[in-house]
Amino acid sequence: MCIRDSYWDDTLQYVEKAVVFLKDEFEPSGSNIWSINYMKWKLTDINPAGRGFLHVMMIDEKVIGTVSLTMKRVILNGKEVLGAEIGDTYSSKEYRRIASPAKLSFLSSDPNAYINKSIFGRCISEITFRAEQVGIDFVYGTPNSNSYPGYTKRLSFSDLVEYKNWSMSRYSLDLYKTEKSLFKMLLLPFSIFKIFKDIVFKSFIKIFKRLYCIKIYEVMPPDKEIDQICSRLTPDTGFSLIRDAKYWKHRYMDHPLHFYRIFSIKMDGNLIALVALRVKKEKHGHETAIISEWMHTNDINICSLLRILIYHKANCDVKKYNLWVKLYTKTFLSSLLNGFIPTSRVPIIFFQSSEFLRTRESFKKMLFFIGSSDNV
């Protein structure tokens, strides 16, 4: 029987050991998910929303469990509130069932309670308790399939099923040839259709851009322009992160692990859309473009925005696109029209704080993107 203890790491003194634990046990070969700079980027004052929390479970000097809480500036029904994203919730496979606590959690004196028997349960229970104590109104996350049951069945998190968040992908013809063998018999008519469609769409884009004096730049626009469009697009109802210049620069330009391409779309010299896109190499060598986030005015609809992005010359080598959308919305239909297909549901969970339970109906309307999660 191994004795484990629980530590708050407000000064990030254990961050190096936490990163070693996460990379050694959970990072797939060839990927780059965690680093010390990444943890500091989201959990220190570098984050415009403020300092977050890191909670670790340890045996001697070895980290065997982690959870983080990243602060987020949130708008709910037109009012700014304090939110946070929970993530990095991992427990050592070696010690999950054999490590007992050095002392019981301050949240329960029952040695048989889940919080005292589970590394995962204790980390999350204590960090959500602390979140409530410091006045964080909303805690959300996008858990993987392994942690989802623990969150929703044992730890007072609720799946926001009313917001049907789905991952959608758009595959190139080359990728269908290599990965979608079931469709090989359809490749000839599909190829003819795709060639015709591409000619039509590219012609449409040229006409559209000339007619409306639209230009696309691969550059982050000035702060003033981002703040102006953010102010225009901030919703009066529902849930959204505050997406001003501070947010875009920190989330995408200053990210320590990934390079994001920023596309600014202007009409008559005025910013009408902003898109963050990350291109990554897959194991088979092809490029996948993750459309991480976007915002646009009524001067351009999402269907045209996606079309311009897909057929932009800078993205000619991309074989697959991926984005998140809510089912049965204009964005969902626009994605279908641009060749995207739904691939999997991505659950969004919220801690059942008193404020969340009181305002849950408001969360049917959300602005949520892949980039809304730092853990994706």
Side-chain angles (χ1 to χ4, degrees):
M1 187 73 72
C2 303
I3 304 298
R4 56 179 168 84
D5 213 343
S6 178
Y7 295 92
W8 288 108
D9 193 11
D10 290 342
T11 60
L12 298 185
Q13 60 177 315
Y14 301 118
V15 68
E16 186 172 351
K17 292 179 180 179
V19 169
V20 168
F21 160 69
L22 291 167
K23 291 179 77 70
D24 285 352
E25 290 211 28
F26 299 102
E27 188 170 88
S29 176
S31 61
N32 192 19
I33 301 174
W34 292 284
S35 73
I36 295 173
N37 286 337
Y38 167 70
M39 299 298 273
K40 290 181 178 180
W41 167 80
K42 67 178 185 174
L43 297 179
T44 68
D45 291 326
I46 296 172
N47 181 350
R51 296 184 66 89
F53 307 141
L54 177 65
H55 193 56
V56 298
M57 301 292 292
M58 300 184 69
I59 290 179
D60 297 325
E61 292 298 309
K62 181 180 180 180
V63 171
I64 61 166
T66 59
V67 61
S68 69
L69 207 62
T70 304
M71 303 300 288
K72 301 284 184 176
R73 295 179 301 146
V74 170
I75 287 284
L76 181 69
N77 295 333
K79 178 184 176 183
E80 183 172 349
V81 296
L82 192 57
E85 179 185 11
I86 195 166
D88 305 312
T89 49
Y90 292 90
S91 58
S92 171
K93 298 174 184 177
E94 179 182 355
Y95 292 101
R96 280 176 192 167
R97 306 199 182 278
I98 64 172
S100 60
K103 57 184 178 181
L104 300 179
S105 171
F106 61 88
L107 294 174
S108 176
S109 59
D110 180 1
N112 293 315
Y114 181 65
I115 189 174
N116 288 318
K117 294 178 73 71
S118 165
I119 297 171
F120 176 82
R122 181 156 181 177
C123 282
I124 293 172
S125 296
E126 293 187 353
I127 208 166
T128 50
F129 174 82
R130 189 174 188 192
E132 288 191 297
Q133 293 297 300
V134 300
I136 296 174
D137 298 305
F138 303 100
V139 175
Y140 70 86
T142 53
N144 60 34
S145 57
N146 293 325
S147 59
Y148 175 85
Y151 271 116
T152 56
K153 293 181 179 180
R154 292 178 175 269
L155 294 169
S156 299
F157 276 80
S158 178
D159 187 338
L160 198 67
V161 292
E162 52 267 50
Y163 185 90
K164 298 176 176 62
N165 189 45
W166 273 70
S167 176
M168 298 185 71
S169 295
R170 182 187 190 274
Y171 299 90
S172 72
L173 185 60
D174 292 339
L175 215 55
Y176 272 100
K177 289 178 181 177
T178 57
E179 294 189 359
K180 307 292 178 183
S181 57
L182 290 176
F183 295 93
K184 282 187 177 179
M185 65 174 59
L186 301 175
L187 281 179
L188 180 58
F190 186 77
S191 299
I192 295 172
F193 171 76
K194 183 179 184 300
I195 292 170
F196 175 76
K197 177 177 70 70
D198 286 351
I199 293 172
V200 172
F201 278 7
K202 287 178 181 178
S203 299
F204 166 81
I205 291 168
K206 287 181 180 179
I207 296 170
F208 180 77
K209 288 166 71 175
R210 287 175 183 172
L211 184 63
Y212 292 98
C213 299
I214 289 177
K215 293 185 178 180
I216 181 168
Y217 305 91
E218 193 173 339
V219 65
M220 180 70 82
D223 291 2
K224 184 178 179 180
E225 293 184 21
I226 301 175
D227 288 341
Q228 286 175 344
I229 191 174
C230 173
S231 179
R232 289 176 59 187
L233 299 175
T234 298
D236 294 326
T237 58
F239 175 94
S240 171
L241 299 185
I242 297 175
R243 303 190 297 153
D244 56 10
K246 287 192 295 185
Y247 167 81
W248 280 84
K249 292 176 74 172
H250 174 260
R251 177 63 183 86
Y252 298 112
M253 298 300 289
D254 298 337
H255 199 288
L257 293 179
H258 304 309
F259 171 74
Y260 289 88
R261 294 162 60 185
I262 305 298
F263 292 92
S264 305
I265 299 176
K266 295 190 174 186
M267 176 187 289
D268 294 326
N270 298 313
L271 185 68
I272 62 170
L274 191 61
V275 182
L277 181 147
R278 177 166 72 93
V279 176
K280 67 173 184 176
K281 284 279 189 181
E282 301 289 4
K283 59 182 179 181
H284 299 301
H286 69 261
E287 290 185 347
T288 292
I290 301 169
I291 306 176
S292 302
E293 189 160 356
W294 62 88
M295 58 182 182
H296 63 94
T297 68
N298 291 331
D299 297 298
I300 184 170
N301 59 48
I302 184 62
C303 192
S304 298
L305 178 60
L306 289 175
R307 199 164 295 163
I308 289 173
L309 193 66
I310 290 166
Y311 289 99
H312 190 267
K313 61 183 179 180
N315 298 325
C316 60
D317 293 328
V318 171
K319 303 300 182 185
K320 177 183 174 183
Y321 287 87
N322 180 245
L323 49 71
W324 288 359
V325 300
K326 182 183 179 181
L327 285 187
Y328 315 126
T329 60
K330 289 182 180 179
T331 304
F332 171 71
L333 294 175
S334 296
S335 300
L336 291 176
L337 289 172
N338 278 284
F340 286 82
I341 56 174
T343 53
S344 62
R345 178 175 176 265
V346 182
I348 304 171
I349 60 172
F350 276 83
F351 180 64
Q352 298 182 67
S353 64
S354 57
E355 193 63 17
F356 172 73
L357 294 174
R358 186 182 68 83
T359 59
R360 179 162 185 158
E361 281 295 310
S362 301
F363 288 80
K364 290 181 179 178
K365 186 176 182 181
M366 292 177 63
L367 288 177
F368 205 92
F369 308 85
I370 292 177
S372 302
S373 172
D374 294 332
N375 298 300
V376 177

